[in-house]
């Protein structure tokens, strides 16, 4: 009888031991999964990431190049309203509204940056403040861009816009903790020199509206527009990551639509306040290419700018605001070439030197991005190699209860029972 009770007790103790051991192993498995969520591991870049970045980059390059050329066409063929030129940069957001009808309004747990910790969503006042402030700033940037493009040839205007990369790097350092490296500093210096050269270059063969004082005015407003654009990109990244805490495709659409809505309303106020709306009908009738071409020029310019805006915000979420600006500046070698073909702009010696310096600076930053991607990939592979399974010897020698094996546990128990 005593042995039967002892055997029954033995079975119970063994069952209890195994249950506790399984619970410990489950806890260990959970803690291991949590520890595996390291920054390096979660930032692995697969082919889908490269596809998304490529698509967004194409949106920025094509959208900005086409929109810039159409903006120049608007001025060359009889357009004179700077407010209208600013309006088309932001008023194309209605073409994005069908997205809200065909897409469910929910954010999946998957985000483009898995390091973002789910937290309590911001209040409606905070969200409204973000969209209103960014929208007003974006509206001012668009107006400055339209004034600069009005006074400058397309090639000169595009090269001056290269300074936006320097401003973006400056704001990213303070707002987005952007790190500077020798290659990035070299890129900023070259791009700055490239733009400064154009300040002392006033081509007398250009039409009178771009010579002398107006050339300087166009240069100054383009510089202000570049600085404002760099600030908008950095603030957008800061808002999405630190304030709104959303990094999904719906966040891209919301940021683009609501920001454009606020900027459009602000620009409309300026359009009617300045009185430019009174001459729009006369401007359309006097457009050299006809009324239909006038409407189509503004329409396609608005669509192109919206594609550019979506691509810019998408690159901010996938990479950074500085990289988004780099892709934007990559359109510089394209626009002057197209301007020579379609608008017969001249590229003299100074512009050639400025263009070469700009391309050199861009390649310097691209090489830095390549080094960072390669380093991240190597660190990720090293991290995965360190996560090896424990050996059989370690498994057999490890105990379930603070290193105590099953035999030691059973022997200790029977000694207590017999005593």
């Amino acid at each position: 009888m005593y042995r039967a009770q002892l055997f029954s007790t033995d079975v119970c103790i063994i069952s209890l031991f195994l249950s506790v051991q399984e619970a410990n192993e489950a806890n260990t498995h959970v803690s291991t999964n949590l520890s595996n969520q390291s920054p390096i591991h979660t930032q692995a870049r697969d082919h889908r990431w490269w596809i998304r970045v490529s698509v967004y980059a194409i949106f920025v390059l094509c959208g900005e190049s086409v929109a810039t050329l159409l903006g120049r066409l608007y001025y060359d063929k009889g357009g004179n309203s700077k407010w209208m030129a600013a309006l088309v940069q932001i008023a194309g957001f209605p073409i994005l509204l069908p997205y809200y009808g065909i897409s469910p309004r929910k954010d999946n747990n998957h985000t483009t940056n898995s390091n973002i910790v789910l937290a309590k969503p911001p209040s409606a006042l905070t969200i409204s403040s973000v969209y209103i402030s960014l929208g007003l700033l974006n509206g001012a940037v668009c107006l400055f861009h339209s004034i600069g493009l009005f006074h400058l040839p397309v090639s000169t205007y595009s090269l001056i816009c290269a300074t936006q990369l320097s401003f973006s790097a400056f704001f990213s350092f303070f707002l987005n903790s952007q790190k500077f490296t020798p290659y990035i500093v070299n890129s900023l210096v070259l791009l700055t020199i490239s733009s400064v050269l154009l300040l002392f270059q006033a081509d007398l063969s250009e039409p009178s509206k771009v010579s002398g004082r107006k050339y300087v005015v166009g240069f100054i407003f383009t510089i202000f527009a570049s600085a404002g654009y760099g600030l908008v990109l950095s603030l957008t990244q800061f808002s999405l990551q630190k304030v709104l805490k959303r990094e999904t495709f719906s966040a891209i659409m919301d940021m683009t639509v609501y920001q454009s809505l606020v900027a459009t309303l602000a620009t409309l106020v300026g359009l009617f306040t300045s009185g430019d709306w009174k001459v729009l009908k006369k401007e359309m009738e006097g457009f050299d290419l006809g009324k239909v071409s006038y409407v189509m020029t503004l329409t396609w310019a608005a669509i192109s700018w919206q594609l550019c805006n979506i691509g810019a915000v998408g690159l901010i979420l996938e990479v950074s605001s500085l990289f988004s600006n780099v892709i934007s500046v990559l359109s510089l070698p394209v626009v002057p070439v197209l301007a020579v073909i379609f608008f017969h702009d001249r590229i003299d010696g100074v512009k050639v030197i400025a263009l070469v310096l700009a391309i050199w600076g861009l390649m310097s930053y691209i090489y830095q991005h390549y080094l960072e991607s390669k380093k991240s990939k190597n660190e990720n592979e090293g991290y995965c190699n360190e996560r090896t399974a424990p050996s059989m010897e370690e498994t057999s020698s490890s105990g379930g209860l603070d290193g105590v094996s099953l035999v030691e546990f059973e022997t200790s128990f029977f000694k207590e029972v017999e005593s």
Side-chain angles (χ1 to χ4, degrees):
M1 183 67 180
Y2 173 75
R3 292 183 177 275
Q5 293 177 351
L6 195 60
F7 176 76
S8 177
T9 305
D10 186 12
V11 174
C12 294
I13 293 302
I14 293 175
S15 300
L16 176 62
F17 179 88
L18 294 177
S19 299
V20 175
Q21 188 175 22
E22 290 174 357
N24 289 337
E25 290 176 354
N27 292 334
T28 303
H29 179 71
V30 173
S31 62
T32 301
N33 288 338
L34 293 176
S35 63
N36 282 344
Q37 297 177 357
S38 66
I40 298 176
H41 182 72
T42 55
Q43 291 180 356
R45 297 174 177 177
D46 54 10
H47 65 283
R48 291 174 297 181
W49 182 88
W50 286 107
I51 292 176
R52 292 196 300 270
V53 171
S54 300
V55 171
Y56 290 141
I58 291 174
F59 282 177
V60 172
L61 291 174
C62 295
E64 186 169 351
S65 299
V66 173
T68 301
L69 292 175
L70 291 176
R72 184 69 244 178
L73 178 66
Y74 166 76
Y75 285 131
D76 287 350
K77 299 304 179 180
N80 293 303
S81 176
K82 304 176 185 62
W83 286 103
M84 176 57 70
L87 184 63
V88 298
Q89 299 180 42
I90 47 183
F93 69 92
I95 66 173
L96 306 178
L97 296 181
Y99 164 80
Y100 294 99
I102 62 178
S103 177
R105 289 296 298 151
K106 64 178 182 179
D107 285 340
N108 298 327
N109 292 331
H110 171 72
T111 61
T112 56
N113 187 347
S114 54
N115 287 329
I116 297 300
V117 180
L118 297 179
K120 181 180 179 181
S123 62
L125 179 61
T126 301
I127 297 176
S128 301
S129 301
V130 169
Y131 291 145
I132 292 175
S133 59
L134 289 177
L136 293 176
L137 181 58
N138 192 27
V141 170
C142 292
L143 177 62
F144 292 161
H145 270 301
S146 65
I147 296 176
L149 187 60
F150 177 78
H151 292 296
L152 298 175
V154 175
S155 55
T156 305
Y157 164 84
S158 299
L159 289 174
I160 296 176
C161 285
T163 57
Q164 70 189 33
L165 185 58
S166 301
F167 290 111
S168 180
F170 174 79
F171 293 122
S172 296
F173 175 77
F174 292 100
L175 296 176
N176 311 126
S177 301
Q178 175 69 41
K179 295 181 180 180
F180 288 98
T181 64
Y183 291 106
I184 292 181
V185 173
N186 179 64
S187 174
L188 302 182
V189 171
L190 291 175
L191 289 170
T192 302
I193 295 176
S194 170
S195 300
V196 170
L197 285 176
L198 299 175
L199 178 63
F200 305 100
Q201 191 270 342
D203 193 348
L204 297 179
S205 64
E206 298 284 353
S208 58
K209 67 176 182 179
V210 297
S211 61
R213 183 181 63 85
K214 291 186 177 181
Y215 186 96
V216 177
V217 171
F219 180 90
I220 293 175
F221 273 96
T222 305
I223 287 291
F224 285 163
S226 300
Y229 184 70
L231 180 59
V232 167
L233 292 181
S234 297
L235 288 176
T236 299
Q237 179 180 350
F238 179 84
S239 300
L240 289 170
Q241 293 181 348
K242 304 298 183 182
V243 182
L244 302 179
K245 296 182 174 64
R246 295 176 56 217
E247 296 198 26
T248 59
F249 184 75
S250 63
I252 298 176
M253 299 298 294
D254 289 346
M255 180 63 70
T256 303
V257 170
Y258 295 136
Q259 186 181 136
S260 298
L261 174 61
V262 174
T264 299
L265 295 176
T267 306
L268 285 175
V269 172
L271 177 65
F272 285 96
T273 302
S274 63
D276 279 7
W277 65 276
K278 298 179 181 179
V279 299
L280 291 181
K281 182 178 180 180
K282 180 180 179 181
E283 181 179 276
M284 181 175 62
E285 294 175 350
F287 197 67
D288 293 346
L289 301 179
K291 296 180 180 180
V292 176
S293 297
Y294 177 85
V295 176
M296 295 301 295
T297 298
L298 297 180
T299 300
W300 283 108
I303 295 175
S304 300
W305 278 119
Q306 284 305 308
L307 290 178
C308 178
N309 293 337
I310 293 176
V313 178
L315 289 176
I316 290 175
L317 296 186
E318 296 291 347
V319 189
S320 67
S321 60
L322 185 59
F323 183 80
S324 177
N325 215 337
V326 167
I327 297 300
S328 177
V329 177
L330 279 176
S331 63
L332 295 179
V334 178
V335 174
V337 174
L338 296 178
V340 171
I341 297 175
F342 294 103
F343 300 106
H344 307 290
D345 280 358
R346 293 184 56 188
I347 299 184
D348 54 17
V350 176
K351 290 183 179 180
V352 170
I353 296 175
L355 181 60
V356 171
L357 291 177
I359 296 176
W360 185 3
L362 292 173
M363 294 304 297
S364 179
Y365 183 87
I366 292 174
Y367 183 69
Q368 173 62 37
H369 184 69
Y370 165 76
L371 294 179
E372 292 178 354
S373 300
K374 185 177 180 181
K375 180 180 178 181
S376 177
K377 181 179 179 181
N378 294 335
E379 291 179 349
N380 191 32
E381 292 177 353
Y383 176 83
C384 294
N385 293 333
E386 291 177 359
R387 290 294 180 179
T388 56
S391 62
M392 294 299 296
E393 181 179 357
E394 294 174 344
T395 304
S396 60
S397 61
S398 62
L401 294 173
D402 296 332
V404 181
S405 65
L406 176 60
V407 177
E408 294 174 345
F409 181 86
E410 185 178 5
T411 302
S412 175
F413 171 77
F414 281 115
K415 288 182 178 180
E416 294 291 335
V417 173
E418 292 176 356
S419 61

